[in-house]
Coordinates of all heavy atoms in Angstrom, one line a residue:
M919 N 13.2 -2.2 17.4 CA 13.0 -2.1 16.0 C 13.0 -0.7 15.6 O 12.2 0.2 16.2 CB 11.7 -2.8 15.5 CG 11.5 -2.8 14.0 SD 10.2 -4.0 13.6 CE 8.9 -2.8 13.5
T920 N 13.7 -0.2 14.6 CA 13.8 1.2 14.2 C 13.1 1.3 12.9 O 13.3 0.5 12.0 CB 15.2 1.7 14.0 OG1 16.0 1.3 15.2 CG2 15.3 3.1 13.9
E921 N 12.1 2.3 12.8 CA 11.5 2.5 11.5 C 12.0 3.8 10.8 O 12.1 4.7 11.4 CB 10.0 2.7 11.7 CG 9.3 1.4 12.2 CD 7.7 1.5 12.3 OE1 7.4 2.4 12.8 OE2 7.1 0.7 11.7
L922 N 12.6 3.5 9.7 CA 13.2 4.5 8.8 C 12.4 4.8 7.7 O 12.0 3.8 7.0 CB 14.6 4.1 8.5 CG 15.6 3.8 9.8 CD1 16.9 3.1 9.2 CD2 15.9 5.0 10.5
A923 N 12.3 6.1 7.3 CA 11.5 6.4 6.2 C 12.6 6.6 5.0 O 13.6 7.4 5.2 CB 10.8 7.7 6.4
C924 N 12.3 6.1 3.9 CA 13.1 6.3 2.7 C 13.0 7.8 2.3 O 12.0 8.4 2.2 CB 12.6 5.6 1.5 SG 13.3 5.8 0.0
K925 N 14.1 8.4 2.0 CA 14.2 9.8 1.6 C 13.6 10.0 0.2 O 13.1 11.1 -0.1 CB 15.6 10.3 1.6 CG 16.2 10.7 3.0 CD 17.5 11.3 3.0 CE 17.9 11.7 4.4 NZ 19.3 12.4 4.3
K926 N 13.7 9.1 -0.6 CA 13.2 9.2 -2.0 C 11.7 9.0 -2.1 O 11.0 9.8 -2.7 CB 13.9 8.2 -2.9 CG 15.2 8.6 -3.3 CD 15.8 7.7 -4.5 CE 17.2 8.3 -4.8 NZ 17.8 7.2 -5.7
C927 N 11.2 7.9 -1.6 CA 9.8 7.6 -1.8 C 8.9 7.6 -0.5 O 7.7 7.4 -0.6 CB 9.6 6.3 -2.5 SG 10.1 4.8 -1.4
K928 N 9.6 7.8 0.6 CA 8.9 7.8 1.9 C 8.4 6.6 2.4 O 7.6 6.6 3.4 CB 7.7 8.9 1.8 CG 8.2 10.3 1.5 CD 7.1 11.3 1.5 CE 7.7 12.7 1.3 NZ 6.5 13.7 1.0
Y929 N 8.7 5.5 1.9 CA 8.3 4.3 2.3 C 8.9 4.1 3.6 O 10.1 4.3 3.9 CB 8.6 3.1 1.4 CG 8.2 1.8 1.6 CD1 6.9 1.4 1.4 CD2 9.0 0.8 2.3 CE1 6.4 0.0 1.7 CE2 8.5 -0.5 2.6 CZ 7.2 -0.8 2.3 OH 6.7 -2.0 2.6
I930 N 8.2 3.5 4.6 CA 8.8 3.3 5.9 C 9.1 1.9 6.1 O 8.4 0.9 5.9 CB 7.8 3.6 7.1 CG1 7.4 5.0 7.0 CG2 8.3 3.2 8.5 CD1 6.3 5.5 7.9
N931 N 10.5 1.7 6.3 CA 11.0 0.4 6.3 C 11.6 0.1 7.7 O 12.0 0.9 8.4 CB 12.4 0.4 5.3 CG 12.1 0.6 3.9 OD1 12.0 -0.4 3.2 ND2 11.9 1.8 3.4
A932 N 11.4 -1.3 8.0 CA 12.0 -1.6 9.4 C 13.0 -2.6 9.1 O 12.9 -3.6 8.5 CB 10.7 -2.3 10.1
D933 N 14.2 -2.4 9.9 CA 15.3 -3.2 10.0 C 15.7 -3.6 8.6 O 15.8 -4.9 8.2 CB 15.1 -4.4 10.7 CG 14.8 -4.0 12.3 OD1 15.5 -3.0 12.6 OD2 14.0 -4.7 12.8
T934 N 16.1 -2.7 7.7 CA 16.6 -3.0 6.4 C 17.5 -1.9 5.9 O 17.4 -0.7 6.4 CB 15.5 -3.1 5.3 OG1 16.0 -3.6 4.1 CG2 14.6 -1.9 5.1
S935 N 18.4 -2.2 4.9 CA 19.3 -1.2 4.5 C 18.9 -0.8 3.0 O 19.4 0.1 2.5 CB 20.7 -1.7 4.5 OG 20.9 -2.9 3.9
I936 N 17.9 -1.5 2.4 CA 17.4 -1.3 1.1 C 15.9 -1.0 1.2 O 15.1 -1.8 1.6 CB 17.7 -2.4 0.1 CG1 19.4 -2.6 0.1 CG2 17.2 -2.1 -1.2 CD1 20.1 -1.5 -0.7
C937 N 15.5 0.0 0.6 CA 14.1 0.4 0.5 C 13.3 -0.7 -0.3 O 13.7 -1.0 -1.5 CB 13.8 1.8 -0.1 SG 12.1 2.1 -0.3
K938 N 12.3 -1.2 0.4 CA 11.5 -2.2 -0.3 C 10.7 -1.7 -1.5 O 10.2 -2.5 -2.3 CB 10.5 -2.9 0.6 CG 11.3 -3.9 1.5 CD 10.4 -4.5 2.7 CE 11.2 -5.2 3.7 NZ 10.6 -5.2 5.0
N939 N 10.5 -0.3 -1.5 CA 9.6 0.2 -2.6 C 10.4 0.6 -3.8 O 10.2 0.3 -4.9 CB 8.8 1.5 -2.0 CG 7.8 2.0 -3.0 OD1 7.2 1.3 -3.7 ND2 7.9 3.4 -3.1
C940 N 11.5 1.3 -3.5 CA 12.2 1.9 -4.6 C 13.8 1.5 -4.7 O 14.5 1.8 -5.6 CB 12.3 3.4 -4.6 SG 13.2 4.2 -3.3
G941 N 14.2 0.7 -3.6 CA 15.6 0.2 -3.7 C 16.6 1.1 -3.3 O 17.8 0.9 -3.4
S942 N 16.2 2.4 -2.9 CA 17.1 3.4 -2.4 C 17.8 3.0 -1.1 O 17.2 2.2 -0.3 CB 16.5 4.7 -2.2 OG 17.3 5.6 -1.4
S943 N 18.9 3.4 -0.7 CA 19.5 3.1 0.6 C 19.7 4.4 1.5 O 20.4 4.4 2.4 CB 20.9 2.6 0.5 OG 21.7 3.3 -0.4
E944 N 19.0 5.5 1.0 CA 19.0 6.6 1.9 C 17.8 6.8 2.7 O 16.6 6.9 2.3 CB 19.1 8.0 1.0 CG 20.4 8.1 0.3 CD 20.4 9.4 -0.5 OE1 20.4 10.4 0.1 OE2 20.5 9.4 -1.7
F945 N 18.0 6.7 4.1 CA 16.8 6.7 5.0 C 17.0 7.9 5.9 O 18.1 8.4 6.2 CB 16.7 5.5 5.7 CG 16.6 4.3 4.9 CD1 17.6 3.5 4.6 CD2 15.3 4.0 4.4 CE1 17.4 2.3 3.8 CE2 15.1 2.9 3.6 CZ 16.2 2.0 3.3
T946 N 15.9 8.2 6.6 CA 16.0 9.2 7.6 C 15.1 8.8 8.9 O 14.0 8.1 8.6 CB 15.6 10.6 7.2 OG1 15.5 11.5 8.4 CG2 14.2 10.6 6.5
K947 N 15.5 9.2 10.1 CA 14.7 8.9 11.2 C 13.8 10.0 11.5 O 12.8 9.8 12.2 CB 15.7 8.7 12.5 CG 16.4 7.4 12.7 CD 17.1 7.3 13.9 CE 18.3 6.5 13.8 NZ 19.2 6.6 14.9
E948 N 14.0 11.2 10.7 CA 13.1 12.3 11.0 C 12.1 12.3 10.0 O 12.0 13.0 9.0 CB 14.1 13.5 10.8 CG 15.3 13.6 11.5 CD 15.0 13.8 13.0 OE1 14.1 14.6 13.4 OE2 15.7 13.1 13.8
W949 N 11.0 11.5 10.4 CA 9.8 11.6 9.6 C 8.6 11.7 10.6 O 8.6 11.4 11.7 CB 9.7 10.3 8.8 CG 9.7 9.0 9.5 CD1 10.7 8.3 9.9 CD2 8.6 8.3 10.0 NE1 10.5 7.2 10.6 CE2 9.1 7.1 10.7 CE3 7.2 8.5 10.1 CZ2 8.3 6.2 11.4 CZ3 6.4 7.5 10.6 CH2 6.9 6.4 11.3
F950 N 7.5 12.3 9.9 CA 6.3 12.6 10.7 C 5.0 12.2 10.0 O 4.9 12.3 8.8 CB 6.3 14.2 10.9 CG 7.5 14.7 11.5 CD1 8.6 15.1 10.6 CD2 7.7 14.9 12.8 CE1 9.7 15.6 11.2 CE2 8.8 15.3 13.3 CZ 9.9 15.7 12.6
G951 N 4.2 11.6 10.8 CA 2.9 11.1 10.3 C 3.0 10.0 9.3 O 4.2 9.9 8.7
Y952 N 2.1 9.3 9.0 CA 2.1 8.2 8.1 C 0.8 7.8 7.5 O -0.3 8.1 8.2 CB 2.9 7.0 8.5 CG 2.2 6.3 9.6 CD1 1.3 5.2 9.3 CD2 2.6 6.5 10.9 CE1 0.7 4.6 10.3 CE2 2.0 5.8 12.0 CZ 1.1 4.8 11.6 OH 0.5 4.1 12.7
V953 N 0.7 7.3 6.4 CA -0.5 6.8 5.8 C -0.2 5.3 5.5 O 0.9 4.9 5.3 CB -0.9 7.4 4.4 CG1 -1.5 8.8 4.7 CG2 0.2 7.5 3.5
I954 N -1.2 4.4 5.6 CA -1.1 3.0 5.3 C -1.8 2.8 4.0 O -3.1 3.1 3.9 CB -1.6 2.1 6.5 CG1 -0.7 2.3 7.6 CG2 -1.6 0.7 5.9 CD1 -1.1 1.5 8.9
I955 N -1.1 2.4 3.1 CA -1.6 2.1 1.7 C -1.8 0.6 1.6 O -0.9 -0.1 1.6 CB -0.7 2.6 0.6 CG1 -0.5 4.1 0.7 CG2 -1.4 2.3 -0.8 CD1 -1.6 5.0 0.7
L956 N -3.1 0.2 1.4 CA -3.4 -1.2 1.3 C -3.5 -1.7 -0.2 O -3.0 -2.7 -0.5 CB -4.7 -1.6 2.0 CG -4.8 -1.4 3.5 CD1 -6.1 -1.6 4.1 CD2 -3.7 -2.3 4.2
D957 N -4.1 -0.8 -1.0 CA -4.3 -1.2 -2.4 C -3.9 0.1 -3.3 O -4.7 1.1 -3.4 CB -5.8 -1.4 -2.6 CG -5.9 -2.1 -4.0 OD1 -5.0 -2.0 -4.9 OD2 -7.0 -2.7 -4.3
P958 N -2.6 0.2 -3.6 CA -2.1 1.3 -4.3 C -2.9 1.6 -5.6 O -3.1 2.8 -6.0 CB -0.7 1.0 -4.6 CG -0.3 -0.1 -3.7 CD -1.6 -0.7 -3.4
E959 N -3.4 0.6 -6.3 CA -4.1 0.8 -7.6 C -5.4 1.6 -7.3 O -5.8 2.3 -8.2 CB -4.6 -0.7 -8.1 CG -3.3 -1.6 -8.2 CD -2.9 -1.5 -9.6 OE1 -3.7 -1.8 -10.6 OE2 -1.7 -1.2 -9.7
K960 N -6.0 1.4 -6.2 CA -7.2 2.2 -6.0 C -7.3 3.2 -5.1 O -8.2 4.0 -4.8 CB -8.2 1.0 -5.4 CG -8.7 0.0 -6.2 CD -9.6 -1.0 -5.5 CE -9.9 -2.2 -6.6 NZ -10.2 -3.4 -5.9
S961 N -6.0 3.6 -4.5 CA -5.8 4.7 -3.6 C -5.5 6.1 -4.3 O -4.5 6.1 -5.0 CB -4.9 4.4 -2.5 OG -4.6 5.6 -1.9
E962 N -6.3 7.1 -4.1 CA -6.1 8.3 -4.7 C -4.8 8.9 -4.1 O -3.9 9.6 -4.7 CB -7.2 9.3 -4.5 CG -8.4 9.1 -5.3 CD -8.0 9.1 -6.7 OE1 -7.4 10.1 -7.2 OE2 -8.5 8.4 -7.5
I963 N -4.6 8.6 -2.8 CA -3.4 9.2 -2.0 C -2.2 8.5 -2.6 O -1.1 9.2 -2.9 CB -3.5 8.9 -0.5 CG1 -4.7 9.4 0.2 CG2 -2.2 9.3 0.2 CD1 -5.1 8.9 1.5
A964 N -2.3 7.2 -2.9 CA -1.1 6.6 -3.5 C -0.7 7.1 -4.8 O 0.5 7.3 -5.0 CB -1.5 5.1 -3.6
K965 N -1.6 7.4 -5.6 CA -1.4 8.0 -6.9 C -0.7 9.4 -6.7 O 0.2 9.7 -7.4 CB -2.8 8.2 -7.6 CG -3.1 6.9 -8.3 CD -4.5 7.1 -9.1 CE -5.1 5.8 -9.3 NZ -6.6 5.8 -9.4
K966 N -1.2 10.3 -5.7 CA -0.6 11.6 -5.5 C 0.8 11.4 -5.1 O 1.7 12.2 -5.5 CB -1.5 12.3 -4.5 CG -2.5 13.2 -5.0 CD -3.1 14.1 -4.0 CE -4.5 14.5 -4.4 NZ -5.3 15.0 -3.3
L967 N 1.0 10.4 -4.3 CA 2.4 10.3 -3.8 C 3.3 9.5 -4.5 O 4.5 9.2 -4.3 CB 2.3 9.7 -2.3 CG 1.6 10.5 -1.3 CD1 1.5 9.8 0.1 CD2 2.2 11.9 -1.0
G968 N 2.7 8.8 -5.6 CA 3.6 8.0 -6.5 C 3.9 6.7 -5.9 O 4.9 6.1 -6.1
I969 N 3.0 6.2 -5.0 CA 3.3 4.9 -4.4 C 2.8 3.8 -5.2 O 1.7 3.8 -5.7 CB 2.4 4.9 -3.0 CG1 3.0 5.9 -2.1 CG2 2.4 3.6 -2.4 CD1 2.3 6.2 -0.9
K970 N 3.6 2.7 -5.3 CA 3.3 1.5 -6.1 C 3.1 0.2 -5.4 O 2.6 -0.7 -5.9 CB 4.3 1.3 -7.2 CG 4.6 2.7 -8.1 CD 4.8 2.4 -9.5 CE 4.6 3.6 -10.3 NZ 5.1 4.9 -9.9
V971 N 3.6 0.3 -4.1 CA 3.4 -1.1 -3.3 C 2.7 -0.8 -2.1 O 2.7 0.4 -1.5 CB 4.9 -1.6 -3.0 CG1 5.7 -2.0 -4.2 CG2 5.6 -0.7 -2.1
P972 N 2.0 -1.7 -1.6 CA 1.3 -1.5 -0.3 C 2.2 -1.4 0.9 O 3.4 -1.9 0.8 CB 0.5 -2.8 -0.1 CG 0.6 -3.5 -1.3 CD 1.7 -3.1 -2.0
G973 N 1.8 -0.6 1.9 CA 2.7 -0.4 3.0 C 2.5 0.9 3.7 O 1.6 1.5 3.5
K974 N 3.4 1.2 4.5 CA 3.3 2.4 5.3 C 4.3 3.5 4.8 O 5.4 3.3 4.5 CB 3.8 2.0 6.8 CG 3.2 2.8 8.0 CD 3.5 1.9 9.2 CE 3.9 2.8 10.3 NZ 4.4 1.9 11.5
F975 N 3.7 4.6 4.6 CA 4.5 5.9 4.0 C 4.4 7.0 4.9 O 3.3 7.4 5.4 CB 3.8 6.1 2.6 CG 4.1 5.1 1.6 CD1 3.3 4.0 1.5 CD2 5.2 5.1 0.7 CE1 3.6 2.9 0.6 CE2 5.5 4.1 -0.1 CZ 4.6 3.0 -0.3
A976 N 5.5 7.7 5.1 CA 5.6 8.9 5.8 C 4.9 10.0 5.1 O 5.0 10.1 3.9 CB 7.0 9.3 6.2
L977 N 4.3 10.9 5.8 CA 3.6 12.2 5.1 C 4.8 13.2 5.0 O 4.7 13.9 4.0 CB 2.5 12.7 6.0 CG 1.4 11.7 6.2 CD1 0.3 12.5 7.0 CD2 0.7 11.6 4.8
R978 N 5.7 13.2 5.9 CA 6.8 14.3 5.7 C 8.1 13.6 6.2 O 8.2 12.9 7.2 CB 6.4 15.4 6.6 CG 7.0 16.8 6.1 CD 6.7 17.8 7.0 NE 7.9 18.2 7.9 CZ 7.9 18.8 9.1 NH1 6.7 19.1 9.6 NH2 8.8 19.1 9.7
V979 N 9.1 13.9 5.4 CA 10.5 13.5 5.9 C 11.4 14.7 5.8 O 11.2 15.6 5.0 CB 11.1 12.3 4.9 CG1 10.3 11.1 5.1 CG2 11.2 12.8 3.5
D980 N 12.3 14.7 6.9 CA 13.2 15.9 6.8 C 14.6 15.5 6.4 O 14.9 14.4 6.4 CB 13.4 16.4 8.2 CG 12.2 17.4 8.5 OD1 11.5 17.8 7.5 OD2 12.0 17.7 9.6
Ligands
LIG614 ZN1 12.1 4.2 -1.2

């Protein structure tokens, strides 16, 4: 299983060609670190990163 980070929103997708968070099809294997967002509504990190769905997000993508 390859985990690819979306270049637009940093959502980490597994085995898909369309990002589940933003619908983008641009991914990168070059990502570092991640945060798991369980409740975007209540998470300060999610607000900062513009995250709207629960899931795993890369901290940095190249
Ligand atoms: Zn995305």
Side-chain angles (χ1 to χ4, degrees):
M919 191 171 88
T920 313
E921 289 187 312
L922 299 170
C924 173
K925 280 188 179 178
K926 280 191 181 165
C927 70
K928 299 183 180 173
Y929 187 83
I930 295 168
N931 292 268
D933 295 327
T934 182
S935 53
I936 298 290
C937 175
K938 284 175 189 149
N939 185 47
C940 73
S942 165
S943 56
E944 286 185 65
F945 298 101
T946 177
K947 278 185 209 165
E948 307 294 314
W949 56 271
F950 304 91
Y952 64 85
V953 286
I954 292 174
I955 304 296
L956 297 174
D957 191 344
E959 304 268 301
K960 290 178 187 154
S961 166
E962 288 301 316
I963 302 166
K965 276 176 205 159
K966 266 187 202 162
L967 298 176
I969 291 166
K970 306 218 162 40
V971 299
K974 211 163 138 185
F975 291 81
L977 292 177
R978 207 182 106 203
V979 296
D980 279 348

